[in-house]
C-alpha cells in the first residue's frame, strides 16, 4: 500500500514551515528529517558546508553494500520576496486539491512522499538499499551537492541508479540543458553630464554589449536545434543590471549578469567567445580613445552541466517501468542530474508537480501528483523486495 495522502500532507506542512530559502540555513529542516529517520532506526550521514550553516544528508535503508536506488532532492527553495501570495507561503494550505506553499512543487512535495514511504521501505525485506539524498544550494547553481557527490563510491555508497524528484508531472526526463552564468563589468570614466565627451559612459557600452548578446542569442536559435527541447535551441539572456550613481554624472561602472542555457551537444563557449571578440574589436578601441583605463571584463560565475542519460540507461528503464510510461522527455531547466550522471551514477528525473508552478507566487502541487508519486515509491519498494 502506498503511503497515505494525509501522512504526506502532514509531512509536507512541516517541511514547508521551514524557511529554507537558499540564502538561509537548512539545519532545522535537516534536523527534522534526521530525527524522523532516526525514529525508524535509520542513521543519516550529514555533510556540512564549509561554514557549517547548511548541510547535505545521506541516509540508507536496507542491506548495506554496493548499489541501491538513490532518491534525490534539494532542501532549499527560491525567495518569496517581491511575489504576491494569496496565503502565507510558509503555511501549507489546501484549496481545491492543490497544496499551496513555497517549495510544495520544487521540491518538498517529493521529499514528503519519500519520507512518508520510509515505513514502507523499512517494513520490506529489501534486496538492495534505498538511499535518501538531500542537498542544499541547488537553487544557487547546484553547488551544495558537489561535496556529497565527491564521496559517493568512497565513504558513501554509490547508488546503482539515482532518481531526482524534481517536478516533471511524474514524466520520465532523460535530458536537460546546461547553464553557464557570467557577470560582465564595464568600467568607463566619470564626467559631468554636461560634458559627456570627457567621460566613457559605462551604461551605454553595456547596452551595446547586451544588444550584441541578443543578436548572438538570435543566431543560436537557428544554428543548432533539437526539437526534444522547448525552446529547441541554446538561449542567452541577461538577468540583472546595475550601474551609475546619479542622472547628472556620466556613469563609470555598469555590471550585468547573464546566462547561456545550452543544448547538451552544443558548444557552451560560443556566446562568451563572440561577446569577447565584440568587446575587444568594436567597443574597447572607442572607449580607450577617451580613457586608457576603460575596460570590459567578463567573469564565468559557474556552470551546471547538461544532463543526457546514456543509451540503455538502467535509471531510465527503471523510471519507465515504475510510471508505466513508454517514452522519455527532455526539459530546458537544469537540475543536479547532470552532476550525478557525470559522477558515473545512471540518473533520471521524475517527480511530482509541474515546473510551471515552481518558483512562482502561489506555488502549489496537486494532491493527485503526490498520490502518483507515493504509488511510484510503493512500486519501487515492491520491485526491490
Ligand atoms: Zn528544484
Amino acid at each position: 500500500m502506498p503511503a497515505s495522502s494525509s501522512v504526506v500532507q502532514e509531512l509536507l506542512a512541516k517541511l514547508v514551515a521551514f524557511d529554507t530559502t537558499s540564502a538561509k540555513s537548512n539545519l532545522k529542516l535537516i534536523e527534522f528529517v534526521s530525527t524522523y529517520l532516526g525514529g525508524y532506526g535509520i542513521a543519516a550521514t550529514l555533510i556540512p558546508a564549509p561554514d557549517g550553516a547548511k548541510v547535505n544528508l545521506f541516509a540508507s535503508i536496507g542491506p548495506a553494500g554496493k548499489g541501491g536506488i538513490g532518491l534525490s532532492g534539494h532542501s532549499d527553495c527560491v525567495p518569496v520576496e517581491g511575489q504576491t501570495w494569496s496565503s502565507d507561503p510558509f503555511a501549507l494550505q489546501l484549496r481545491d486539491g492543490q497544496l499551496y506553499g513555497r517549495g510544495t512543487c520544487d521540491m518538498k512535495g517529493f521529499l514528503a512522499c519519500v519520507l512518508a514511504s520510509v515505513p514502507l521501505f523499512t517494513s520490506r525485506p529489501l534486496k538492495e538499499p534505498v538511499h535518501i539524498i538531500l542537498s542544499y544550494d541547488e537553487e544557487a547553481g547546484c553547488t551544495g551537492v558537489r561535496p556529497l557527490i565527491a564521496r559517493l563510491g568512497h565513504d558513501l555508497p554509490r547508488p546503482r541508479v539515482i532518481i531526482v524528484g524534481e517536478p516533471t508531472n511524474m514524466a520520465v526526463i532523460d535530458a536537460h540543458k546546461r547553464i553557464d552564468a557570467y557577470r560582465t563589468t564595464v568600467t568607463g570614466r566619470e564626467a559631468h553630464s554636461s560634458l559627456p565627451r570627457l567621460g566613457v559612459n559605462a551604461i551605454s557600452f553595456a547596452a551595446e554589449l547586451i544588444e550584441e548578446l541578443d543578436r548572438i542569442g538570435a543566431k543560436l536559435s537557428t544554428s543548432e536545434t533539437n526539437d526534444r527541447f522547448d525552446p529547441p535551441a541554446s538561449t542567452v539572456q541577461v538577468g540583472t543590471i546595475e550601474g551609475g550613481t546619479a542622472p547628472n554624472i556620466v556613469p563609470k561602472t555598469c555590471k550585468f549578469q547573464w546566462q547561456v542555457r545550452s543544448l547538451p551537444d552544443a558548444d557552451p563557449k560560443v556566446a562568451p567567445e563572440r561577446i569577447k571578440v565584440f568587446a575587444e574589436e568594436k567597443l574597447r578601441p572607442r572607449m580607450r580613445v577617451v580613457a586608457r583605463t576603460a575596460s570590459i571584463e567578463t567573469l564565468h560565475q559557474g556552470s551546471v552541466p547538461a544532463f543526457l542519460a546514456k543509451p540503455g540507461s538502467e535509471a531510465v528503464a527503471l523510471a519507465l517501468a515504475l510510471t508505466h510510461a513508454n517514452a522519455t522527455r527532455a526539459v530546458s531547466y537544469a537540475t543536479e542530474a547532470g552532476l550525478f550522471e557525470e559522477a558515473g551514477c545512471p540518473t533520471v528525473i521524475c517527480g511530482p508537480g509541474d515546473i510551471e508552478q515552481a518558483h512562482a507566487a502561489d506555488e502549489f502541487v496537486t494532491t493527485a501528483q503526490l498520490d502518483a508519486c507515493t504509488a511510484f515509491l510503493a512500486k519501487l519498494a515492491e520491485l526491490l523486495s
Side-chain angles (χ1 to χ4, degrees):
M1 276 281 287
S4 89
S5 46
S6 62
V7 171
V8 173
Q9 286 181 36
E10 257 171 59
L11 284 163
L12 183 55
K14 293 208 169 101
L15 295 170
V16 165
F18 296 108
D19 176 0
T20 51
T21 307
S22 306
K24 297 181 181 170
S25 169
N26 73 341
L27 293 183
K28 289 211 169 85
L29 182 147
I30 296 290
E31 196 183 297
F32 167 75
V33 173
S34 303
T35 307
Y36 175 88
L37 294 174
Y40 292 95
I42 302 156
T45 302
L46 304 183
I47 300 122
D51 68 356
K54 296 170 194 171
V55 70
N56 293 305
L57 176 146
F58 188 102
S60 302
I61 308 169
K66 286 185 179 168
I69 309 300
L71 301 173
S72 165
H74 58 83
S75 63
D76 59 323
C77 49
V78 296
V80 295
E81 275 72 37
Q83 298 185 338
T84 307
W85 283 68
S86 311
S87 57
D88 180 352
F90 300 106
L92 188 72
Q93 201 180 83
L94 176 63
R95 301 197 295 268
D96 301 327
Q98 297 173 341
L99 289 154
Y100 289 86
R102 172 51 85 223
T104 47
C105 168
D106 186 11
M107 54 182 292
K108 291 176 175 176
F110 175 74
L111 178 56
C113 292
V114 170
L115 294 181
S117 304
V118 163
L120 195 65
F121 290 126
T122 53
S123 66
R124 295 229 165 204
L126 298 181
K127 281 182 289 205
E128 58 177 322
V130 170
H131 309 287
I132 297 174
I133 303 169
L134 194 49
S135 70
Y136 62 89
D137 280 355
E138 191 274 346
E139 302 288 6
C142 296
T143 50
V145 76
R146 297 178 199 225
L148 181 152
I149 289 176
R151 289 170 62 171
L152 298 179
H154 300 282
D155 64 330
L156 294 175
R158 179 195 296 278
R160 166 172 79 79
V161 157
I162 290 181
I163 298 167
V164 174
E166 290 275 0
T168 69
N169 280 322
M170 298 307 292
V172 178
I173 305 299
D174 65 353
H176 69 56
K177 288 182 179 175
R178 172 190 170 94
I179 305 178
D180 286 277
Y182 298 92
R183 176 195 287 274
T184 297
T185 303
V186 181
T187 307
R189 179 200 266 171
E190 277 180 339
H192 193 283
S193 60
S194 65
L195 294 167
R197 70 171 189 280
L198 298 182
V200 176
N201 190 317
I203 293 178
S204 295
F205 280 101
E208 289 194 47
L209 286 164
I210 291 167
E211 266 187 86
E212 178 66 10
L213 279 176
D214 286 344
R215 282 191 291 270
I216 293 166
K219 265 186 211 145
L220 288 179
S221 72
T222 53
S223 61
E224 201 169 336
T225 57
N226 181 337
D227 287 336
R228 294 197 70 210
F229 293 86
D230 176 22
S234 302
T235 55
V236 181
Q237 82 119 24
V238 179
T240 72
I241 184 162
E242 57 174 306
T245 46
N248 57 0
I249 303 172
V250 175
K252 184 184 176 191
T253 313
C254 185
K255 296 178 184 185
F256 58 94
Q257 289 174 291
W258 51 285
Q259 283 192 345
V260 184
R261 294 195 174 236
S262 307
L263 293 170
D265 295 326
D267 177 1
K269 295 202 187 73
V270 171
E273 278 167 5
R274 286 192 191 160
I275 201 70
K276 190 165 186 236
V277 170
F278 179 79
E280 293 292 329
E281 293 179 1
K282 304 277 183 201
L283 304 187
R284 280 255 288 252
R286 281 164 50 209
M287 295 166 81
R288 292 205 162 165
V289 167
V290 182
R292 291 195 59 79
T293 52
S295 65
I296 297 168
E297 303 285 348
T298 294
L299 270 184
H300 187 224
Q301 293 187 292
S303 60
V304 180
F307 165 54
L308 193 57
K310 293 203 170 65
S313 156
E314 39 176 330
V316 172
L318 175 67
L320 287 172
L322 293 174
T323 56
H324 307 283
N326 49 25
T328 59
R329 288 175 33 206
V331 293
S332 288
Y333 56 88
T335 73
E336 296 169 339
L339 291 164
F340 285 120
E341 189 79 33
E342 262 186 8
C345 298
T347 301
V348 66
I349 310 169
C350 182
D354 191 319
I355 194 69
E356 282 193 17
Q357 271 87 51
H359 300 199
D362 288 342
E363 175 178 353
F364 69 83
V365 66
T366 64
T367 54
Q369 277 290 301
L370 297 180
D371 290 346
C373 185
T374 49
F376 173 100
L377 293 168
K379 197 146 181 247
L380 175 66
E382 202 177 295
L383 211 78
L384 296 180
S385 46

